[in-house]
Amino acid sequence: MKRHGRRLAWTALAAAAMGTGLVWHRAEKPPVHAHGSNPAITPSSWTATDPGTTRLKGRETILVLGSDKRPQDPRGNADVLLVASLDDSHRRVELLSIPRDTQVAFPDGRYHKINEALASGGPEETCMLVEHLIGLPIDHYAIIRFDALVNMVDSIGGLDIDVPRNMDYRTGDKVYGVIHLRKGRHHLNGEQALQFVRYRHDALGDIGRTERQQAFLMALKDQLLRPQTLPRLPEVAIDAWKMIDTDMSLGDLSRLAAHAPQYQAYRTVHTTLPGSFHDPDPSIPGDLSYWVVNPVEARYVAKRFFADGEAPPRVIQDPRETRTWLPPDDLDAKDASKRPTAPR
């Protein structure tokens, strides 16, 4: 029962909120021009614990995926990728965002954006790639589409959120095709909340969007754990389970209601996987924009974040910094090798 309690606590929060390592040598950059389709991977090929991962005690991790599936799409790409952990050992909720344009090596050996994995290989392939990337096991997944986010936010009466700037954009979708929000603190309904987490047309693109998604999660957690909302959590959990795709059972989500009050005192920490922007090179056919991460750094940052609650000093790096990043111990050794030796 204790295992289920850990699993449930953040699952319902994350599901309601998002309602919508492949290593290269430290001095080398992966090929950013490789792109193309890759074969689907079957559920049986994902074991939920990659041999190269390190399991941290006292928590379970859930990969929350916000799908941009349209009516004509069989599955859709992942608009949102967020690793959520309820850490009982440290009384902490930890949220790590992975930008959807993050470049990773797929099973076919070519490099693609990680958000493509949901369409090509489903949540199983996506979980496998995330495990490789951060070096930590993913225990469960939850896929939330646009309608689910809208309905769940409306069901709890909306959210109070600070909108950092005016947001205006037409997505081209027949449903939820307009983003129109004004700067300032507002009480957002479900459709407005979807606009808030989807908007990406500012200077930071997807990195700005991951920051807004984290702010959205914080607002949702506050709303769900208010005294007037707590009695309704069993109903919210059942509604969420009906609207999302997940490998967790209805019993798992329903038991959350009994454990939710204890998580009011938990501290929430959040960050985004650091890296650098890659703009398409017009001289390379098929080249795309990517968020490029150093896999050695990705695993180092993820372990420090989930084990110690320590976020990286900055998320956006110069491309050279990403390519040449070294763990602090290696940097100390490198500096020491350059120091002059004392004369005898």
Side-chain angles (χ1 to χ4, degrees):
M1 181 65 72
K2 183 177 180 181
R3 177 183 174 90
H4 285 299
R6 284 200 306 269
R7 176 188 309 166
L8 295 168
W10 182 245
T11 302
L13 295 179
M18 300 317 297
T20 43
L22 305 169
V23 179
W24 83 85
H25 188 273
R26 290 170 181 170
E28 295 176 350
K29 183 178 181 180
V32 295
H33 58 276
H35 180 72
S37 61
N38 80 91
I41 190 168
T42 60
S44 61
S45 62
W46 176 62
T47 63
T49 304
D50 179 84
T53 62
T54 301
R55 179 170 292 279
L56 301 177
K57 296 180 179 180
R59 93 271 310 294
E60 289 187 58
T61 58
I62 301 161
L63 180 61
V64 181
L65 302 169
S67 172
D68 65 358
K69 179 183 179 298
R70 273 73 171 180
Q72 69 275 17
D73 294 337
R75 215 177 237 151
N77 291 326
D79 232 22
V80 175
L81 297 98
L82 183 140
V83 180
S85 176
L86 185 70
D87 183 350
D88 290 337
S89 296
H90 301 95
R91 297 176 61 81
R92 219 168 37 216
V93 174
E94 298 138 0
L95 307 173
L96 175 66
S97 293
I98 300 173
R100 70 174 194 169
D101 290 343
T102 299
Q103 183 191 57
V104 296
F106 275 58
D108 61 9
R110 290 178 291 175
Y111 285 86
H112 311 268
K113 296 182 179 184
I114 196 170
N115 74 320
E116 299 173 21
L118 186 60
S120 66
E124 296 81 18
E125 182 172 82
T126 309
C127 288
M128 180 188 70
L129 291 175
V130 171
E131 284 191 343
H132 275 295
L133 181 63
I134 66 174
L136 299 172
I138 299 298
D139 298 303
H140 299 285
Y141 65 81
I143 305 173
I144 302 96
R145 298 186 172 89
F146 293 164
D147 284 342
L149 183 145
V150 171
N151 292 334
M152 285 188 285
V153 171
D154 283 339
S155 73
I156 59 173
L159 300 175
D160 294 324
I161 292 181
D162 287 314
V163 180
R165 54 167 293 173
N166 292 341
M167 299 180 183
D168 291 285
Y169 185 74
R170 291 188 176 273
T171 67
D173 296 329
K174 293 182 179 179
V175 181
Y176 310 128
V178 176
I179 296 176
H180 178 70
L181 296 173
R182 300 295 89 187
K183 180 179 179 179
R185 186 165 183 81
H186 300 286
H187 188 78
L188 304 185
N189 62 26
E191 186 169 350
Q192 292 169 326
L194 176 62
Q195 295 174 26
F196 182 78
V197 300
R198 288 188 71 193
Y199 185 77
R200 61 180 294 198
H201 298 275
D202 54 19
L204 296 182
D206 271 335
I207 304 307
R209 181 158 65 170
T210 62
E211 293 174 352
R212 288 187 288 275
Q213 291 163 358
Q214 291 161 7
F216 178 52
L217 283 166
M218 299 287 287
L220 179 83
K221 179 189 174 187
D222 291 343
Q223 179 70 14
L224 286 175
L225 296 182
R226 287 177 179 176
Q228 60 269 37
T229 310
L230 280 173
R232 295 191 55 242
L233 282 185
E235 175 189 348
V236 172
I238 292 173
D239 289 343
W241 188 80
K242 291 177 180 177
M243 290 185 285
I244 67 176
D245 293 334
T246 180
D247 61 345
M248 291 173 286
S249 70
L250 176 58
D252 288 341
L253 287 177
S254 298
R255 278 188 290 271
L256 168 66
H259 297 84
Q262 76 188 68
Y263 301 109
Q264 288 176 300
Y266 277 30
R267 183 169 67 96
T268 301
V269 294
H270 54 84
T271 193
T272 298
L273 200 64
S276 56
F277 292 106
H278 166 77
D279 296 323
D281 185 340
S283 68
I284 301 176
D287 192 23
L288 301 174
S289 61
Y290 287 104
W291 181 247
V292 179
V293 303
N294 183 317
V296 177
E297 181 183 17
R299 291 190 171 208
Y300 177 87
V301 165
K303 187 172 182 180
R304 293 293 295 269
F305 178 68
F306 287 107
D308 305 320
E310 180 179 319
R314 63 182 173 278
V315 170
I316 301 174
Q317 302 172 338
D318 179 90
R320 185 178 181 279
E321 180 184 359
T322 302
R323 292 194 300 269
T324 61
W325 185 92
L326 291 172
D329 291 345
D330 288 359
L331 283 174
D332 292 342
K334 184 177 180 180
D335 290 341
S337 68
K338 294 181 178 179
R339 294 172 193 153
T341 57
R344 294 184 179 182

